[in-house]
Amino acid sequence: MALFSEAHSKPTKETFLWGRIAQQALLVPEASILLGLLLIAWTFGFPPLIGILAIITAFVFGLRLGLMTLAEQQLAQGAYTRADRLVQAALRINPWSVDALVLRAQGLAQQGEDEKAEQLLRRAAKLYPSDHTVQSTLASVVLAQGRIAEGKQLALTGDSSIAEVPQLIQQRAWMALHVEEDAAKARAIILKADPKRFPPRIALPLLTTLGEAHIVLGARGDAEAILTTIEADLSACPRTQQAELLYHLGRLHAELGEQSALYFRRCVELDPDGRYAQAAWRSAVNS
């Protein structure tokens, strides 16, 4: 159901089309510039100055992509300060880059800076409201702040074409487990998604929630098998994701009454500045 405030401002098809064009232009403005230069060059017989401008535009585009790629690599290694500098440089080139805004928000969220991440994601959502990745990431940081009702509203979508996106499946299962307190529903959601068909980077977060649901339901053997699978595939994930998964492995092994300190220590070693480092250190000391 649409909100009452939206009822009087539904866009026409023409408005929606121009909005989509404007969003794409903001996402890759260099493409629009190159197209414009090409048209000007064709009109005036391809003067050398236009060619130079086209080369400069292509160079700027390549530079921005290079900065984003380097930032993503640094973020995966837990080099948050370096990654943030690279992303900010990319944003100076294109302040409307949704990818850069989301990447910077991701870095902040991985350090536990959820409020700052939320501000960036809301800006990205305004620029590109049709991007489900932005919406689901925004839902994650809102849920992390304890605003369950708002996060649930952001996470749930009526668009059947993206309902089976792994990140959205993960959020639905997490809410079933922790908000609705229905572990059977959470398990059913993840089993239906069949995590085995995804690469480890995508599958292991789903399996973590599945393992937790097994524990709540008293299926100890199934939970232990899931935890063994997660640990075996850890090396296929980026360093910071390994740290997050190790924290959850420690937490779930502790719930099973098993040794957990090693997992917490490895979490801190891999990502000492990450959002789980302090909690992992306290758990390692207390275990």
Side-chain angles (χ1 to χ4, degrees), residues 9-23 129:
S9 59
K10 290 291 183 182
T12 62
K13 290 183 178 180
E14 183 178 356
T15 303
F16 179 77
L17 175 61
W18 284 110
R20 292 284 295 176
I21 293 173
Q23 289 169 8

Side-chain angles (χ1 to χ4, degrees), residues 221-278:
D222 291 335
E224 289 177 341
I226 291 293
L227 298 187
T228 300
T229 299
I230 294 171
E231 189 168 1
D233 290 341
L234 272 179
S235 60
C237 298
R239 183 186 184 95
T240 51
Q241 189 182 23
Q242 287 183 44
E244 179 179 352
L245 291 166
L246 283 166
Y247 171 77
H248 291 301
L249 280 172
R251 183 174 58 82
L252 297 180
H253 276 291
E255 289 184 17
L256 290 170
E258 300 172 350
Q259 287 291 331
S260 58
L262 177 62
Y263 298 102
F264 293 129
R265 292 194 188 102
R266 288 172 62 194
C267 169
V268 177
E269 290 171 2
L270 284 176
D271 192 12
D273 297 318
R275 72 179 298 136
Y276 295 101
Q278 291 187 6

Side-chain angles (χ1 to χ4, degrees), residues 65-178:
L65 290 184
L67 289 168
M68 291 282 292
T69 301
L70 287 173
E72 193 169 3
Q73 292 173 353
Q74 294 298 312
L75 196 59
Q77 295 300 315
Y80 298 111
T81 301
R82 205 173 308 156
D84 194 60
R85 288 173 182 167
L86 291 166
V87 177
Q88 288 194 63
L91 282 169
R92 281 193 288 271
I93 296 174
N94 178 14
W96 304 281
S97 171
V98 174
D99 292 341
L101 289 169
V102 171
L103 187 59
R104 190 174 183 214
Q106 180 185 340
L108 290 167
Q110 286 181 205
Q111 297 172 83
E113 299 284 351
D114 295 312
E115 291 183 4
K116 294 180 180 178
E118 182 185 348
Q119 293 175 6
L120 291 168
L121 289 167
R122 290 196 180 279
R123 181 182 166 194
K126 287 181 180 179
L127 290 170
Y128 209 62
S130 59
D131 192 325
H132 67 83
T133 301
V134 176
Q135 293 292 336
S136 60
T137 306
L138 177 58
S140 296
V141 298
V142 169
L143 288 168
Q145 295 175 69
R147 288 148 51 198
I148 303 300
E150 185 181 355
K152 185 175 181 180
Q153 184 179 10
L154 287 166
L156 296 178
T157 175
D159 188 345
S160 60
S161 66
I162 63 171
E164 298 308 311
V165 171
Q167 188 173 0
L168 297 177
I169 294 170
Q170 168 73 16
Q171 287 176 343
R172 292 205 308 273
W174 185 91
M175 287 186 290
L177 183 60
H178 294 281

Side-chain angles (χ1 to χ4, degrees), residues 30 33-35 37-38 41 47-63:
E30 297 89 351
I33 295 172
L34 283 172
L35 179 60
L37 289 173
L38 180 62
L49 178 60
I50 301 300
I52 294 172
L53 291 175
I55 291 172
I56 293 173
T57 302
F59 172 78
V60 170
F61 178 57
L63 176 63

